[in-house]
Amino acid sequence: MKTEKLTVHFDDSLPVLVDEVEAHLGRSSLEGGVVLREASGRLTFFVDGELTPESLAALTDALRKALGPYARPDRVVADRQSPGAARILEDPGTCAVRVGDRTVRYLDRRIVGADWVRGPEPEAPAPPQFVFASLKGGVGRSTTLSVVAAEQARKGRNVLVIDMDLEAPGIGSILLDPDRRPAFGALDYLAESGLGGFDETELADFVGTSALTSGAGLVDVMPVSGTSSEKHPENFLAKLSRAMLEDVEPGGGSVSLRDKTRGMIRRVVGRRPYDLVLVDARAGMAELSAGPLLGLGATVFLFGTAQRQTIDDYRYLFAHLATLPTPEGGSPWRQLRMVHAKAPLSDEVNTTFTDEMWNLFTEYLYEEIDGLDGFNFDVNDPQAPHYPIAIPFDARFVHWDPAKKPTELTRSYYEATFGAFLTAVDRLLGP
C-alpha cells in the first residue's frame, strides 16, 4: 500500500498551528483560545469569540494546508458559537504551554496516558506518605523502601507498605514470609473494584504483617498479589489487564486508574493508625506510574544512577511536569527528592550528577525568585529537591533476600549503606 510522506510531524504540529492562528487573527486570539489535541494527535483551535464566515473559511483553509494530517478533518478551527466550543473553552483541564515566545492554552485528550495530564494533588493529610519511584529498574528502589520500613518500625513507628509495581512485584517477597501473605493484593483490588468493591471487613484479606522487623512498631504490607494468585498464576496477566482499565460507574461516569489507586490507598491507610505509608511505584512513565507520582500528594523519592540515560529520561519527565496545572499554595515540586542510586566513591561523578540535576530543576521546575517565597535553590544546598541523597553501591545488596536471611534486615547490616537516606527520612518525618 502506498503511503503519503508526512510533511509535518508531532513536534512541529503545535508551533505550525500557532503560527497560522497568529498570522490570521493576531496574538491576542492565542491568549484566549484553546488548542485541542484529540487522541490521534490531530489539532483544533477554538477561538474565544465569534468569527465572520470569511475569517473562519480562510483560517480553516490555511490550517488544513499547513498541518496536513495533523488538521482535524471535521473541523480544524471553531469559534465560541460553534456546537460544544464553550465547553472546551471553559474546560478546567487546560494548561498553559509555551510555544516560542507565545503562551497558549492546551487541552490534551488521550486514551493512554490521560492520568499524566492532570495536575498533582495537594499535599496529603497525615500520615506522611513517601513514594519510591524511578525511570529505570534495578536502582535499588524496593530495597531502600524495605530498609526504611524496618528502621522506622525499629523506632516504634507503625508502617504501611504498598506495592504498586504491578508489572514487576517484589515488596511482598522481600517483607512477607510465605505463611504471612494475605489472600489478595493491590492487583486484585484494582481489577475487581469496578464490580462492587469490598467492604471494610474484607480489606484485612489484602494486608499481611511482616515478621522480619524486631522493633516496637509493625510493618503491614499490601503486596501486588497474594495466595489466591499463587494458586492460580495463570490468571495474573488477565487480572493485570483489567486493573489498568477505568472503572465504569452505574451512572455512566468513570474512575481513572489514578483515582482508583488513590481511593484504594486511602481505604487501606484508614484501617489502622499508621505513622507513615511507603509506596513502591512502577518504574518508567507508563500510565501506572502517574497515580503514585501525581495523585497522592506524597513526598516522591526519584531514584537514578549517574548515567546519561538518567539525565535524558528525567528531562522528558520534568519537561512534562512543567506543563501541568498546579494547585495553589506553593509549588508541588517541593515534595520531590532526588536519590543518587549506586553512587560511586568519586567526588567528581557525584558533583557532576548534582550539577546536572540542578540544571534540570532550574530549567523546568524551579521558579524565578520572587521575594523570599520563590521555589529556587542554590546548586549546593543539601536540603534542595535537586540535591541527590547518595546511596553508595554495595555488592552485598545485589542478591539481597532478607526473607531467607533475616539478619540482613537489621540496622548493623544496612546502616553504612543507607545511613544518609535514613537520616533524610527522619528529617522529613520530624520528631
Side-chain angles (χ1 to χ4, degrees), residues 16 85 162 166 261 269 278-279 281 298 343 361 375:
V16 166
I162 299 176
L166 302 188
T261 299
V269 169
L278 309 178
V279 180
F361 270 81
F375 178 48

Side-chain angles (χ1 to χ4, degrees), residues 271-351:
R271 290 182 60 248
R272 279 180 168 174
Y274 294 109
D275 296 301
L276 72 157
V277 180
L278 309 178
V279 180
D280 196 21
R282 179 72 179 109
M285 290 180 274
E287 189 86 351
L288 183 58
S289 304
L293 265 68
L294 298 176
L296 301 181
T299 296
V300 179
F301 293 112
L302 296 172
F303 285 66
T305 54
Q307 296 173 287
R308 175 47 49 190
Q309 60 184 356
T310 298
I311 306 303
D312 290 344
D313 290 348
Y314 275 114
R315 179 179 298 279
Y316 297 140
L317 176 62
F318 290 177
H320 172 75
L321 296 183
T323 69
L324 298 179
T326 56
E328 296 181 359
S331 174
W333 315 128
R334 293 177 184 273
Q335 294 174 258
L336 300 179
R337 286 304 310 265
M338 291 306 305
V339 180
H340 187 176
K342 299 182 178 179
L345 298 177
S346 168
D347 290 340
E348 180 181 357
V349 171
N350 296 332
T351 299

Side-chain angles (χ1 to χ4, degrees), residues 220-243:
D220 278 353
V221 182
M222 184 180 198
V224 166
S225 58
T227 56
S228 179
S229 289
E230 292 175 357
K231 294 176 183 176
H232 303 283
E234 71 280 3
N235 292 332
F236 187 93
L237 287 175
K239 287 190 285 188
L240 178 61
S241 67
R242 287 155 179 82

Side-chain angles (χ1 to χ4, degrees), residues 23-275:
H24 282 74
L25 303 180
R27 182 167 294 200
S28 60
S29 65
L30 292 172
E31 298 171 358
V34 171
V35 180
L36 171 68
R37 190 185 292 276
E38 64 173 23
S40 67
R42 295 183 175 91
L43 298 169
T44 300
F45 184 73
F46 289 83
V47 180
D48 190 13
E50 186 174 357
L51 296 178
T52 65
E54 294 77 16
S55 295
L56 182 63
L59 181 54
T60 296
D61 184 59
L63 287 174
R64 291 198 191 285
K65 290 179 180 178
L67 290 172
Y70 276 96
R72 187 171 166 181
D74 55 342
R75 60 176 179 179
V76 68
V77 61
D79 62 12
R80 184 173 274 276
Q81 311 307 315
S82 303
R87 179 173 55 84
I88 297 297
L89 288 165
E90 297 163 10
D91 194 305
T94 58
C95 59
V97 298
R98 296 286 295 174
V99 181
D101 62 346
R102 299 152 298 184
T103 300
V104 296
R105 290 199 297 153
Y106 181 68
L107 189 59
D108 197 348
R109 300 294 196 204
R110 305 184 187 187
I111 296 174
V112 176
D115 280 344
W116 281 109
V117 179
R118 297 161 54 194
E121 295 292 325
E123 187 173 352
Q129 297 184 20
F130 297 126
V131 171
F132 292 66
S134 66
L135 298 184
K136 296 286 186 182
V139 293
R141 191 187 66 241
S142 300
T143 299
T144 306
L145 185 154
S146 301
V147 167
V148 171
E151 175 67 6
Q152 293 304 319
R154 188 189 68 82
K155 294 183 175 182
R157 290 188 168 108
N158 293 333
V159 184
L160 173 64
V161 174
I162 299 176
D163 193 353
M164 280 303 300
D165 194 351
L166 302 188
E167 295 172 317
I171 291 295
S173 300
I174 292 174
L175 291 177
L176 292 174
D177 292 329
D179 60 350
R180 285 178 173 260
R181 292 178 69 86
F184 307 108
L187 177 66
D188 302 278
Y189 187 103
L190 295 173
E192 299 183 307
S193 60
L195 301 177
F198 312 93
D199 62 32
E200 299 306 314
T201 60
E202 292 177 290
L203 291 179
D205 294 331
F206 291 80
V207 178
T209 300
S210 176
L212 297 180
T213 56
S214 57
L218 59 83
V219 176
D220 278 353
V221 182
M222 184 180 198
V224 166
S225 58
T227 56
S228 179
S229 289
E230 292 175 357
K231 294 176 183 176
H232 303 283
E234 71 280 3
N235 292 332
F236 187 93
L237 287 175
K239 287 190 285 188
L240 178 61
S241 67
R242 287 155 179 82
M244 302 291 286
L245 297 176
E246 293 185 344
D247 282 348
V248 179
E249 297 180 317
S254 61
V255 181
S256 72
L257 176 59
R258 171 172 159 170
D259 291 335
K260 284 168 46 175
T261 299
R262 185 172 67 252
M264 176 190 74
I265 291 176
R266 284 179 175 174
R267 290 191 69 198
V268 178
V269 169
R271 290 182 60 248
R272 279 180 168 174
Y274 294 109
D275 296 301

